Amino acid sequence: MQIENLRKHYPGAENTALQGLSLNFKKGIIAGLLGPNGAGKTTTISIICGLVKADSGLAKVLELDCSNDIIEIKKKIGVVPQQFALYPQLTGKENLEYVGRLYNIPSKSLKGKVSEMLAHFGLEKHANKRVSQYSGGMKRRANIIAGLLHNPELLILDEPTAGVDVQSRNMILDFLKQYNVQGNTIIYTSHLLEEAEKICDDVAIIDEGKLIAQASPKQLIASAEGCNSLEDVFLFYTGRTVRE
Ligand SMILES: Nc1ncnc2c1ncn2[C@@H]1O[C@H](COP(=O)(O)OP(=O)(O)OP(=O)(O)O)[C@@H](O)[C@H]1O
Ligand SMILES: [Mg+2]
């Protein structure tokens, strides 16, 4: 992923969401896009997957241009949004089969894939329950499955572990590691810095729509004075003021 001087101001908004953001993530890694509330993480992801149009600047993924090649990009990337993208009145299985059909996955392999993923994410018993009856953690897991049914080579997840318990979190992180080992790239956002420190090869810290620091967690910790963890580094660069 390559982003250069990206700018975005939402009409009528008080702050400019992206103020010349530049960053690069290499292929084949697990990358963390970190930053306080309102830093511009979701906006960046939304531009990459074609949901939001940047005012100016360049965004490319898999050598494709996010403003022109969005149809091609959509086939190759998977996006797991911060807000649940599930129909509450449909069951988990119905939701996932619907998403799979949107990706033109043949019906036979789709059914198998949905069952396999539901089992892997501990939702087997809840497959035929309406999503409105799911707990927050169950919705989060179903939301993740929806983003990866088509085996994208780049998987982008916006806070995939928000609001899930320790068991689910570990399962999700193990899955992401395994998916990465299979040769896929992962870009994800999280407010859990201990978690990002453990699984990310490369981390970009953004604040107020700009890149503040980027390196491996180890390099960041070593280079910021008095810091022993990624959380220390994060506070070192972004300060202690509470955001929006
Ligand atoms: N649709 C919108 N209309 C107006 N302003 C918006 C919109 N979406 C985001 N913003 C503003 O743009 C800025 C960046 O928001 P964004 O959602 O990208 O941040 P974030 O880093 O994902 O934050 P969080 O950690 O809270 O999810 C914020 O100031 C936010 O209020
Ligand atoms: Mg966000």
Side-chain angles (χ1 to χ4, degrees):
M1 180 182 96
Q2 185 195 356
I3 283 176
E4 270 169 39
N5 209 11
L6 213 53
R7 289 183 180 273
K8 174 70 192 173
H9 188 101
Y10 290 100
E14 201 178 310
N15 305 319
T16 301
L18 300 182
Q19 307 194 50
L21 179 69
S22 298
L23 64 93
N24 280 299
F25 285 131
K26 288 202 178 101
K27 242 179 156 177
I29 63 167
I30 301 185
L33 182 60
L34 311 179
N37 290 136
K41 304 178 295 294
T42 299
T43 301
T44 306
I45 289 175
S46 304
I47 291 171
I48 289 166
C49 64
L51 285 174
V52 167
K53 209 172 160 344
D55 298 334
S56 61
L58 177 97
K60 281 173 113 180
V61 274
L62 308 169
E63 275 90 56
L64 297 163
D65 190 319
C66 298
S67 47
N68 296 321
D69 309 325
I70 210 67
I71 293 172
E72 209 43 45
I73 289 174
K74 279 186 178 164
K75 288 183 201 158
K76 294 184 173 177
I77 72 168
V79 180
V80 176
Q82 184 171 10
Q83 310 283 355
F84 299 126
L86 302 163
Y87 292 99
Q89 295 310 317
L90 299 184
T91 67
K93 194 170 155 198
E94 285 166 347
N95 263 285
L96 296 172
E97 289 183 353
Y98 173 71
V99 172
R101 284 197 295 274
L102 292 180
Y103 280 107
N104 293 321
I105 303 173
S107 145
K108 227 180 176 180
S109 56
L110 176 60
K111 280 192 188 321
K113 179 83 179 176
V114 167
S115 309
E116 181 200 328
M117 285 292 135
L118 283 167
H120 194 101
F121 280 79
L123 291 169
E124 209 170 16
K125 279 192 298 189
H126 311 290
N128 296 314
K129 263 190 205 164
R130 285 183 184 196
V131 164
S132 56
Q133 293 164 8
Y134 278 20
S135 70
M138 287 158 70
K139 283 182 197 155
R140 187 64 68 195
R141 281 177 276 154
N143 199 44
I144 295 174
I145 303 174
L148 53 82
L149 282 173
H150 60 300
N151 278 327
E153 59 183 276
L154 169 64
L155 182 59
I156 302 176
L157 308 100
D158 202 354
E159 302 197 25
T161 54
V164 303
D165 62 25
V166 181
Q167 286 83 357
S168 284
R169 177 144 51 89
N170 279 304
M171 186 279 294
I172 292 167
L173 296 177
D174 285 345
F175 178 86
L176 295 182
K177 278 191 246 166
Q178 197 188 321
Y179 197 68
N180 173 245
V181 167
Q182 288 163 9
N184 302 301
T185 309
I186 292 171
I187 299 174
Y188 101 115
T189 78
S190 176
H191 288 288
L192 299 167
L193 298 165
E194 209 179 311
E195 166 190 312
E197 184 177 330
K198 261 192 238 160
I199 77 157
C200 292
D201 302 302
D202 191 13
V203 156
I205 299 176
I206 68 169
D207 198 7
E208 295 175 346
K210 280 182 289 213
L211 181 72
I212 303 294
Q214 183 175 5
S216 71
K218 262 194 187 150
Q219 286 168 325
L220 284 176
I221 294 164
S223 64
E225 209 182 317
C227 292
N228 296 310
S229 66
L230 192 58
E231 182 164 326
D232 290 345
V233 172
F234 188 87
L235 289 169
F236 177 88
Y237 284 116
T238 61
R240 291 184 175 267
T241 317
V242 173
R243 307 307 167 88
E244 61 183 29

PDB file of all heavy atoms in Angstrom, residues 27 48-49 61-65 69-79 103 147-156 179 183-186:
ATOM      1  N   LYS A  27       4.322  -5.430   0.888  1.00  0.00           N
ATOM      2  CA  LYS A  27       3.514  -6.638   0.657  1.00  0.00           C
ATOM      3  C   LYS A  27       3.944  -7.752   1.616  1.00  0.00           C
ATOM      4  O   LYS A  27       5.115  -7.831   1.979  1.00  0.00           O
ATOM      5  CB  LYS A  27       3.775  -7.115  -0.773  1.00  0.00           C
ATOM      6  CG  LYS A  27       2.547  -7.116  -1.648  1.00  0.00           C
ATOM      7  CD  LYS A  27       2.904  -7.577  -3.029  1.00  0.00           C
ATOM      8  CE  LYS A  27       1.689  -8.144  -3.712  1.00  0.00           C
ATOM      9  NZ  LYS A  27       1.969  -8.529  -5.077  1.00  0.00           N
ATOM     10  N   ILE A  48      -8.913   3.841   0.548  1.00  0.00           N
ATOM     11  CA  ILE A  48      -8.275   2.700  -0.111  1.00  0.00           C
ATOM     12  C   ILE A  48      -9.303   1.766  -0.744  1.00  0.00           C
ATOM     13  O   ILE A  48      -9.105   1.240  -1.827  1.00  0.00           O
ATOM     14  CB  ILE A  48      -7.408   1.922   0.901  1.00  0.00           C
ATOM     15  CG1 ILE A  48      -6.189   2.751   1.235  1.00  0.00           C
ATOM     16  CG2 ILE A  48      -6.992   0.568   0.367  1.00  0.00           C
ATOM     17  CD1 ILE A  48      -5.461   2.246   2.426  1.00  0.00           C
ATOM     18  N   CYS A  49     -10.428   1.582  -0.061  1.00  0.00           N
ATOM     19  CA  CYS A  49     -11.391   0.633  -0.627  1.00  0.00           C
ATOM     20  C   CYS A  49     -12.486   1.334  -1.439  1.00  0.00           C
ATOM     21  O   CYS A  49     -13.480   0.703  -1.798  1.00  0.00           O
ATOM     22  CB  CYS A  49     -11.940  -0.296   0.440  1.00  0.00           C
ATOM     23  SG  CYS A  49     -12.863   0.522   1.696  1.00  0.00           S
ATOM     24  N   VAL A  61      -2.965   0.448  -3.959  1.00  0.00           N
ATOM     25  CA  VAL A  61      -2.802  -0.864  -3.326  1.00  0.00           C
ATOM     26  C   VAL A  61      -2.592  -1.897  -4.412  1.00  0.00           C
ATOM     27  O   VAL A  61      -3.239  -1.827  -5.466  1.00  0.00           O
ATOM     28  CB  VAL A  61      -4.011  -1.327  -2.470  1.00  0.00           C
ATOM     29  CG1 VAL A  61      -3.938  -0.801  -1.070  1.00  0.00           C
ATOM     30  CG2 VAL A  61      -5.328  -1.026  -3.111  1.00  0.00           C
ATOM     31  N   LEU A  62      -1.713  -2.849  -4.154  1.00  0.00           N
ATOM     32  CA  LEU A  62      -1.411  -3.924  -5.109  1.00  0.00           C
ATOM     33  C   LEU A  62      -1.140  -3.329  -6.501  1.00  0.00           C
ATOM     34  O   LEU A  62      -1.661  -3.825  -7.509  1.00  0.00           O
ATOM     35  CB  LEU A  62      -2.573  -4.931  -5.165  1.00  0.00           C
ATOM     36  CG  LEU A  62      -3.046  -5.500  -3.826  1.00  0.00           C
ATOM     37  CD1 LEU A  62      -4.356  -6.263  -3.972  1.00  0.00           C
ATOM     38  CD2 LEU A  62      -1.996  -6.401  -3.218  1.00  0.00           C
ATOM     39  N   GLU A  63      -0.401  -2.265  -6.514  1.00  0.00           N
ATOM     40  CA  GLU A  63      -0.040  -1.543  -7.748  1.00  0.00           C
ATOM     41  C   GLU A  63      -1.250  -0.978  -8.501  1.00  0.00           C
ATOM     42  O   GLU A  63      -1.154  -0.627  -9.679  1.00  0.00           O
ATOM     43  CB  GLU A  63       0.784  -2.431  -8.701  1.00  0.00           C
ATOM     44  CG  GLU A  63       2.274  -2.438  -8.406  1.00  0.00           C
ATOM     45  CD  GLU A  63       2.665  -3.532  -7.427  1.00  0.00           C
ATOM     46  OE1 GLU A  63       2.367  -4.687  -7.717  1.00  0.00           O
ATOM     47  OE2 GLU A  63       3.247  -3.207  -6.382  1.00  0.00           O
ATOM     48  N   LEU A  64      -2.368  -0.884  -7.854  1.00  0.00           N
ATOM     49  CA  LEU A  64      -3.565  -0.332  -8.500  1.00  0.00           C
ATOM     50  C   LEU A  64      -3.929   0.998  -7.852  1.00  0.00           C
ATOM     51  O   LEU A  64      -3.724   1.186  -6.638  1.00  0.00           O
ATOM     52  CB  LEU A  64      -4.733  -1.318  -8.360  1.00  0.00           C
ATOM     53  CG  LEU A  64      -4.550  -2.676  -9.048  1.00  0.00           C
ATOM     54  CD1 LEU A  64      -5.554  -3.686  -8.515  1.00  0.00           C
ATOM     55  CD2 LEU A  64      -4.698  -2.524 -10.556  1.00  0.00           C
ATOM     56  N   ASP A  65      -4.483   1.886  -8.638  1.00  0.00           N
ATOM     57  CA  ASP A  65      -4.806   3.228  -8.179  1.00  0.00           C
ATOM     58  C   ASP A  65      -6.210   3.255  -7.538  1.00  0.00           C
ATOM     59  O   ASP A  65      -7.194   2.878  -8.175  1.00  0.00           O
ATOM     60  CB  ASP A  65      -4.761   4.171  -9.397  1.00  0.00           C
ATOM     61  CG  ASP A  65      -4.853   5.616  -8.982  1.00  0.00           C
ATOM     62  OD1 ASP A  65      -5.653   5.924  -8.076  1.00  0.00           O
ATOM     63  OD2 ASP A  65      -4.119   6.429  -9.559  1.00  0.00           O
ATOM     64  N   ASP A  69      -8.936   2.340 -10.264  1.00  0.00           N
ATOM     65  CA  ASP A  69      -9.019   0.881 -10.472  1.00  0.00           C
ATOM     66  C   ASP A  69      -9.838   0.188  -9.404  1.00  0.00           C
ATOM     67  O   ASP A  69      -9.536  -0.941  -9.013  1.00  0.00           O
ATOM     68  CB  ASP A  69      -7.598   0.290 -10.480  1.00  0.00           C
ATOM     69  CG  ASP A  69      -6.671   1.022 -11.426  1.00  0.00           C
ATOM     70  OD1 ASP A  69      -7.153   1.455 -12.477  1.00  0.00           O
ATOM     71  OD2 ASP A  69      -5.485   1.147 -11.104  1.00  0.00           O
ATOM     72  N   ILE A  70     -10.866   0.866  -8.911  1.00  0.00           N
ATOM     73  CA  ILE A  70     -11.531   0.356  -7.721  1.00  0.00           C
ATOM     74  C   ILE A  70     -12.242  -0.994  -7.953  1.00  0.00           C
ATOM     75  O   ILE A  70     -12.309  -1.830  -7.060  1.00  0.00           O
ATOM     76  CB  ILE A  70     -12.446   1.442  -7.096  1.00  0.00           C
ATOM     77  CG1 ILE A  70     -12.534   1.231  -5.596  1.00  0.00           C
ATOM     78  CG2 ILE A  70     -13.801   1.560  -7.712  1.00  0.00           C
ATOM     79  CD1 ILE A  70     -11.262   1.470  -4.858  1.00  0.00           C
ATOM     80  N   ILE A  71     -12.712  -1.237  -9.165  1.00  0.00           N
ATOM     81  CA  ILE A  71     -13.396  -2.521  -9.432  1.00  0.00           C
ATOM     82  C   ILE A  71     -12.395  -3.665  -9.305  1.00  0.00           C
ATOM     83  O   ILE A  71     -12.676  -4.696  -8.670  1.00  0.00           O
ATOM     84  CB  ILE A  71     -14.065  -2.501 -10.824  1.00  0.00           C
ATOM     85  CG1 ILE A  71     -15.208  -1.475 -10.809  1.00  0.00           C
ATOM     86  CG2 ILE A  71     -14.600  -3.883 -11.218  1.00  0.00           C
ATOM     87  CD1 ILE A  71     -15.856  -1.192 -12.137  1.00  0.00           C
ATOM     88  N   GLU A  72     -11.218  -3.474  -9.871  1.00  0.00           N
ATOM     89  CA  GLU A  72     -10.145  -4.473  -9.788  1.00  0.00           C
ATOM     90  C   GLU A  72      -9.691  -4.653  -8.331  1.00  0.00           C
ATOM     91  O   GLU A  72      -9.485  -5.767  -7.852  1.00  0.00           O
ATOM     92  CB  GLU A  72      -8.985  -3.969 -10.673  1.00  0.00           C
ATOM     93  CG  GLU A  72      -8.108  -5.013 -11.303  1.00  0.00           C
ATOM     94  CD  GLU A  72      -8.871  -6.173 -11.883  1.00  0.00           C
ATOM     95  OE1 GLU A  72      -9.902  -5.997 -12.580  1.00  0.00           O
ATOM     96  OE2 GLU A  72      -8.429  -7.284 -11.598  1.00  0.00           O
ATOM     97  N   ILE A  73      -9.572  -3.531  -7.628  1.00  0.00           N
ATOM     98  CA  ILE A  73      -9.124  -3.567  -6.229  1.00  0.00           C
ATOM     99  C   ILE A  73     -10.116  -4.349  -5.373  1.00  0.00           C
ATOM    100  O   ILE A  73      -9.729  -5.185  -4.558  1.00  0.00           O
ATOM    101  CB  ILE A  73      -8.947  -2.124  -5.673  1.00  0.00           C
ATOM    102  CG1 ILE A  73      -7.722  -1.459  -6.315  1.00  0.00           C
ATOM    103  CG2 ILE A  73      -8.816  -2.125  -4.153  1.00  0.00           C
ATOM    104  CD1 ILE A  73      -7.525   0.000  -5.956  1.00  0.00           C
ATOM    105  N   LYS A  74     -11.397  -4.107  -5.597  1.00  0.00           N
ATOM    106  CA  LYS A  74     -12.421  -4.755  -4.770  1.00  0.00           C
ATOM    107  C   LYS A  74     -12.375  -6.276  -4.865  1.00  0.00           C
ATOM    108  O   LYS A  74     -12.744  -6.982  -3.936  1.00  0.00           O
ATOM    109  CB  LYS A  74     -13.812  -4.230  -5.117  1.00  0.00           C
ATOM    110  CG  LYS A  74     -14.078  -2.912  -4.424  1.00  0.00           C
ATOM    111  CD  LYS A  74     -15.486  -2.420  -4.610  1.00  0.00           C
ATOM    112  CE  LYS A  74     -15.664  -1.128  -3.828  1.00  0.00           C
ATOM    113  NZ  LYS A  74     -16.837  -0.373  -4.210  1.00  0.00           N
ATOM    114  N   LYS A  75     -11.924  -6.788  -6.017  1.00  0.00           N
ATOM    115  CA  LYS A  75     -11.830  -8.253  -6.181  1.00  0.00           C
ATOM    116  C   LYS A  75     -10.685  -8.828  -5.363  1.00  0.00           C
ATOM    117  O   LYS A  75     -10.719  -9.976  -4.946  1.00  0.00           O
ATOM    118  CB  LYS A  75     -11.591  -8.587  -7.665  1.00  0.00           C
ATOM    119  CG  LYS A  75     -12.787  -8.373  -8.534  1.00  0.00           C
ATOM    120  CD  LYS A  75     -12.440  -8.798  -9.952  1.00  0.00           C
ATOM    121  CE  LYS A  75     -13.376  -8.143 -10.938  1.00  0.00           C
ATOM    122  NZ  LYS A  75     -12.831  -8.073 -12.280  1.00  0.00           N
ATOM    123  N   LYS A  76      -9.653  -8.006  -5.181  1.00  0.00           N
ATOM    124  CA  LYS A  76      -8.417  -8.517  -4.577  1.00  0.00           C
ATOM    125  C   LYS A  76      -8.260  -8.211  -3.096  1.00  0.00           C
ATOM    126  O   LYS A  76      -7.411  -8.798  -2.439  1.00  0.00           O
ATOM    127  CB  LYS A  76      -7.214  -7.931  -5.332  1.00  0.00           C
ATOM    128  CG  LYS A  76      -7.128  -8.416  -6.752  1.00  0.00           C
ATOM    129  CD  LYS A  76      -5.892  -7.894  -7.402  1.00  0.00           C
ATOM    130  CE  LYS A  76      -5.725  -8.517  -8.785  1.00  0.00           C
ATOM    131  NZ  LYS A  76      -4.561  -7.958  -9.458  1.00  0.00           N
ATOM    132  N   ILE A  77      -9.008  -7.217  -2.613  1.00  0.00           N
ATOM    133  CA  ILE A  77      -8.865  -6.906  -1.192  1.00  0.00           C
ATOM    134  C   ILE A  77     -10.136  -7.275  -0.435  1.00  0.00           C
ATOM    135  O   ILE A  77     -11.227  -7.358  -1.001  1.00  0.00           O
ATOM    136  CB  ILE A  77      -8.510  -5.417  -0.943  1.00  0.00           C
ATOM    137  CG1 ILE A  77      -9.704  -4.490  -1.214  1.00  0.00           C
ATOM    138  CG2 ILE A  77      -7.305  -4.987  -1.766  1.00  0.00           C
ATOM    139  CD1 ILE A  77      -9.490  -3.070  -0.700  1.00  0.00           C
ATOM    140  N   GLY A  78      -9.956  -7.500   0.854  1.00  0.00           N
ATOM    141  CA  GLY A  78     -11.101  -7.737   1.726  1.00  0.00           C
ATOM    142  C   GLY A  78     -11.091  -6.641   2.770  1.00  0.00           C
ATOM    143  O   GLY A  78     -10.022  -6.260   3.254  1.00  0.00           O
ATOM    144  N   VAL A  79     -12.274  -6.126   3.086  1.00  0.00           N
ATOM    145  CA  VAL A  79     -12.336  -5.065   4.076  1.00  0.00           C
ATOM    146  C   VAL A  79     -13.290  -5.465   5.189  1.00  0.00           C
ATOM    147  O   VAL A  79     -14.421  -5.881   4.940  1.00  0.00           O
ATOM    148  CB  VAL A  79     -12.796  -3.732   3.435  1.00  0.00           C
ATOM    149  CG1 VAL A  79     -12.864  -2.631   4.478  1.00  0.00           C
ATOM    150  CG2 VAL A  79     -11.847  -3.325   2.326  1.00  0.00           C
ATOM    151  N   TYR A 103     -19.685 -11.753  -4.208  1.00  0.00           N
ATOM    152  CA  TYR A 103     -18.338 -11.976  -4.752  1.00  0.00           C
ATOM    153  C   TYR A 103     -18.320 -13.069  -5.813  1.00  0.00           C
ATOM    154  O   TYR A 103     -17.251 -13.526  -6.213  1.00  0.00           O
ATOM    155  CB  TYR A 103     -17.374 -12.337  -3.612  1.00  0.00           C
ATOM    156  CG  TYR A 103     -16.889 -11.134  -2.849  1.00  0.00           C
ATOM    157  CD1 TYR A 103     -17.360 -10.863  -1.566  1.00  0.00           C
ATOM    158  CD2 TYR A 103     -15.974 -10.259  -3.418  1.00  0.00           C
ATOM    159  CE1 TYR A 103     -16.924  -9.752  -0.869  1.00  0.00           C
ATOM    160  CE2 TYR A 103     -15.529  -9.139  -2.727  1.00  0.00           C
ATOM    161  CZ  TYR A 103     -16.001  -8.890  -1.458  1.00  0.00           C
ATOM    162  OH  TYR A 103     -15.567  -7.788  -0.775  1.00  0.00           O
ATOM    163  N   GLY A 147     -15.533 -10.381   5.484  1.00  0.00           N
ATOM    164  CA  GLY A 147     -14.502  -9.683   4.726  1.00  0.00           C
ATOM    165  C   GLY A 147     -13.500 -10.588   4.043  1.00  0.00           C
ATOM    166  O   GLY A 147     -12.694 -10.114   3.244  1.00  0.00           O
ATOM    167  N   LEU A 148     -13.529 -11.882   4.366  1.00  0.00           N
ATOM    168  CA  LEU A 148     -12.452 -12.719   3.819  1.00  0.00           C
ATOM    169  C   LEU A 148     -12.920 -13.971   3.086  1.00  0.00           C
ATOM    170  O   LEU A 148     -12.078 -14.799   2.696  1.00  0.00           O
ATOM    171  CB  LEU A 148     -11.441 -13.075   4.925  1.00  0.00           C
ATOM    172  CG  LEU A 148     -11.955 -13.704   6.194  1.00  0.00           C
ATOM    173  CD1 LEU A 148     -12.162 -15.191   6.048  1.00  0.00           C
ATOM    174  CD2 LEU A 148     -10.970 -13.429   7.315  1.00  0.00           C
ATOM    175  N   LEU A 149     -14.222 -14.080   2.865  1.00  0.00           N
ATOM    176  CA  LEU A 149     -14.745 -15.290   2.199  1.00  0.00           C
ATOM    177  C   LEU A 149     -14.127 -15.511   0.820  1.00  0.00           C
ATOM    178  O   LEU A 149     -13.988 -16.645   0.368  1.00  0.00           O
ATOM    179  CB  LEU A 149     -16.262 -15.178   2.040  1.00  0.00           C
ATOM    180  CG  LEU A 149     -17.086 -15.449   3.289  1.00  0.00           C
ATOM    181  CD1 LEU A 149     -18.550 -15.126   3.016  1.00  0.00           C
ATOM    182  CD2 LEU A 149     -16.937 -16.894   3.746  1.00  0.00           C
ATOM    183  N   HIS A 150     -13.755 -14.412   0.137  1.00  0.00           N
ATOM    184  CA  HIS A 150     -13.206 -14.525  -1.220  1.00  0.00           C
ATOM    185  C   HIS A 150     -11.682 -14.622  -1.223  1.00  0.00           C
ATOM    186  O   HIS A 150     -11.055 -14.441  -2.264  1.00  0.00           O
ATOM    187  CB  HIS A 150     -13.686 -13.342  -2.081  1.00  0.00           C
ATOM    188  CG  HIS A 150     -13.273 -11.999  -1.547  1.00  0.00           C
ATOM    189  ND1 HIS A 150     -13.647 -11.542  -0.299  1.00  0.00           N
ATOM    190  CD2 HIS A 150     -12.510 -11.010  -2.081  1.00  0.00           C
ATOM    191  CE1 HIS A 150     -13.127 -10.335  -0.095  1.00  0.00           C
ATOM    192  NE2 HIS A 150     -12.430 -10.006  -1.162  1.00  0.00           N
ATOM    193  N   ASN A 151     -11.096 -14.961  -0.052  1.00  0.00           N
ATOM    194  CA  ASN A 151      -9.643 -15.153   0.060  1.00  0.00           C
ATOM    195  C   ASN A 151      -8.825 -13.993  -0.492  1.00  0.00           C
ATOM    196  O   ASN A 151      -7.941 -14.188  -1.343  1.00  0.00           O
ATOM    197  CB  ASN A 151      -9.209 -16.409  -0.710  1.00  0.00           C
ATOM    198  CG  ASN A 151      -9.431 -17.644   0.110  1.00  0.00           C
ATOM    199  OD1 ASN A 151      -9.304 -17.609   1.334  1.00  0.00           O
ATOM    200  ND2 ASN A 151      -9.789 -18.715  -0.561  1.00  0.00           N
ATOM    201  N   PRO A 152      -9.045 -12.770  -0.013  1.00  0.00           N
ATOM    202  CA  PRO A 152      -8.310 -11.634  -0.570  1.00  0.00           C
ATOM    203  C   PRO A 152      -6.819 -11.702  -0.246  1.00  0.00           C
ATOM    204  O   PRO A 152      -6.443 -12.144   0.844  1.00  0.00           O
ATOM    205  CB  PRO A 152      -8.944 -10.433   0.135  1.00  0.00           C
ATOM    206  CG  PRO A 152      -9.481 -10.981   1.417  1.00  0.00           C
ATOM    207  CD  PRO A 152      -9.923 -12.369   1.105  1.00  0.00           C
ATOM    208  N   GLU A 153      -6.002 -11.246  -1.206  1.00  0.00           N
ATOM    209  CA  GLU A 153      -4.550 -11.257  -0.928  1.00  0.00           C
ATOM    210  C   GLU A 153      -4.136 -10.098  -0.023  1.00  0.00           C
ATOM    211  O   GLU A 153      -3.064 -10.120   0.554  1.00  0.00           O
ATOM    212  CB  GLU A 153      -3.752 -11.255  -2.237  1.00  0.00           C
ATOM    213  CG  GLU A 153      -4.015 -10.067  -3.133  1.00  0.00           C
ATOM    214  CD  GLU A 153      -3.237 -10.155  -4.448  1.00  0.00           C
ATOM    215  OE1 GLU A 153      -2.063  -9.767  -4.469  1.00  0.00           O
ATOM    216  OE2 GLU A 153      -3.833 -10.604  -5.430  1.00  0.00           O
ATOM    217  N   LEU A 154      -5.023  -9.104   0.084  1.00  0.00           N
ATOM    218  CA  LEU A 154      -4.810  -8.029   1.057  1.00  0.00           C
ATOM    219  C   LEU A 154      -6.075  -7.913   1.899  1.00  0.00           C
ATOM    220  O   LEU A 154      -7.174  -7.708   1.371  1.00  0.00           O
ATOM    221  CB  LEU A 154      -4.549  -6.695   0.339  1.00  0.00           C
ATOM    222  CG  LEU A 154      -4.564  -5.444   1.227  1.00  0.00           C
ATOM    223  CD1 LEU A 154      -3.448  -5.471   2.259  1.00  0.00           C
ATOM    224  CD2 LEU A 154      -4.436  -4.178   0.378  1.00  0.00           C
ATOM    225  N   LEU A 155      -5.906  -8.095   3.204  1.00  0.00           N
ATOM    226  CA  LEU A 155      -7.053  -8.009   4.105  1.00  0.00           C
ATOM    227  C   LEU A 155      -6.861  -6.789   4.999  1.00  0.00           C
ATOM    228  O   LEU A 155      -5.838  -6.644   5.668  1.00  0.00           O
ATOM    229  CB  LEU A 155      -7.125  -9.296   4.944  1.00  0.00           C
ATOM    230  CG  LEU A 155      -8.290  -9.438   5.914  1.00  0.00           C
ATOM    231  CD1 LEU A 155      -9.636  -9.365   5.200  1.00  0.00           C
ATOM    232  CD2 LEU A 155      -8.192 -10.772   6.669  1.00  0.00           C
ATOM    233  N   ILE A 156      -7.855  -5.887   4.962  1.00  0.00           N
ATOM    234  CA  ILE A 156      -7.783  -4.664   5.748  1.00  0.00           C
ATOM    235  C   ILE A 156      -8.869  -4.717   6.813  1.00  0.00           C
ATOM    236  O   ILE A 156     -10.050  -4.893   6.494  1.00  0.00           O
ATOM    237  CB  ILE A 156      -7.996  -3.423   4.845  1.00  0.00           C
ATOM    238  CG1 ILE A 156      -6.948  -3.407   3.725  1.00  0.00           C
ATOM    239  CG2 ILE A 156      -7.931  -2.139   5.659  1.00  0.00           C
ATOM    240  CD1 ILE A 156      -7.127  -2.279   2.718  1.00  0.00           C
ATOM    241  N   TYR A 179      -3.249 -16.488   8.358  1.00  0.00           N
ATOM    242  CA  TYR A 179      -3.632 -15.962   7.040  1.00  0.00           C
ATOM    243  C   TYR A 179      -2.444 -15.251   6.395  1.00  0.00           C
ATOM    244  O   TYR A 179      -2.245 -15.316   5.189  1.00  0.00           O
ATOM    245  CB  TYR A 179      -4.825 -14.998   7.206  1.00  0.00           C
ATOM    246  CG  TYR A 179      -5.551 -14.711   5.919  1.00  0.00           C
ATOM    247  CD1 TYR A 179      -6.274 -15.715   5.278  1.00  0.00           C
ATOM    248  CD2 TYR A 179      -5.514 -13.459   5.337  1.00  0.00           C
ATOM    249  CE1 TYR A 179      -6.938 -15.467   4.084  1.00  0.00           C
ATOM    250  CE2 TYR A 179      -6.175 -13.202   4.141  1.00  0.00           C
ATOM    251  CZ  TYR A 179      -6.881 -14.208   3.525  1.00  0.00           C
ATOM    252  OH  TYR A 179      -7.529 -13.963   2.337  1.00  0.00           O
ATOM    253  N   GLY A 183       0.749 -16.151   2.869  1.00  0.00           N
ATOM    254  CA  GLY A 183       1.224 -15.260   1.809  1.00  0.00           C
ATOM    255  C   GLY A 183       0.387 -14.006   1.616  1.00  0.00           C
ATOM    256  O   GLY A 183       0.604 -13.249   0.672  1.00  0.00           O
ATOM    257  N   ASN A 184      -0.580 -13.791   2.485  1.00  0.00           N
ATOM    258  CA  ASN A 184      -1.453 -12.625   2.333  1.00  0.00           C
ATOM    259  C   ASN A 184      -0.970 -11.455   3.199  1.00  0.00           C
ATOM    260  O   ASN A 184      -0.348 -11.669   4.238  1.00  0.00           O
ATOM    261  CB  ASN A 184      -2.881 -12.992   2.731  1.00  0.00           C
ATOM    262  CG  ASN A 184      -3.415 -14.145   1.916  1.00  0.00           C
ATOM    263  OD1 ASN A 184      -3.478 -14.060   0.694  1.00  0.00           O
ATOM    264  ND2 ASN A 184      -3.758 -15.254   2.573  1.00  0.00           N
ATOM    265  N   THR A 185      -1.294 -10.259   2.752  1.00  0.00           N
ATOM    266  CA  THR A 185      -0.925  -9.057   3.499  1.00  0.00           C
ATOM    267  C   THR A 185      -2.091  -8.634   4.384  1.00  0.00           C
ATOM    268  O   THR A 185      -3.248  -8.736   3.980  1.00  0.00           O
ATOM    269  CB  THR A 185      -0.596  -7.915   2.512  1.00  0.00           C
ATOM    270  OG1 THR A 185       0.339  -8.401   1.559  1.00  0.00           O
ATOM    271  CG2 THR A 185      -0.033  -6.699   3.228  1.00  0.00           C
ATOM    272  N   ILE A 186      -1.749  -8.157   5.566  1.00  0.00           N
ATOM    273  CA  ILE A 186      -2.796  -7.702   6.490  1.00  0.00           C
ATOM    274  C   ILE A 186      -2.473  -6.288   6.964  1.00  0.00           C
ATOM    275  O   ILE A 186      -1.349  -6.010   7.378  1.00  0.00           O
ATOM    276  CB  ILE A 186      -2.908  -8.665   7.687  1.00  0.00           C
ATOM    277  CG1 ILE A 186      -3.460 -10.006   7.193  1.00  0.00           C
ATOM    278  CG2 ILE A 186      -3.794  -8.083   8.799  1.00  0.00           C
ATOM    279  CD1 ILE A 186      -3.440 -11.105   8.172  1.00  0.00           C
TER     280      ILE A 186
END
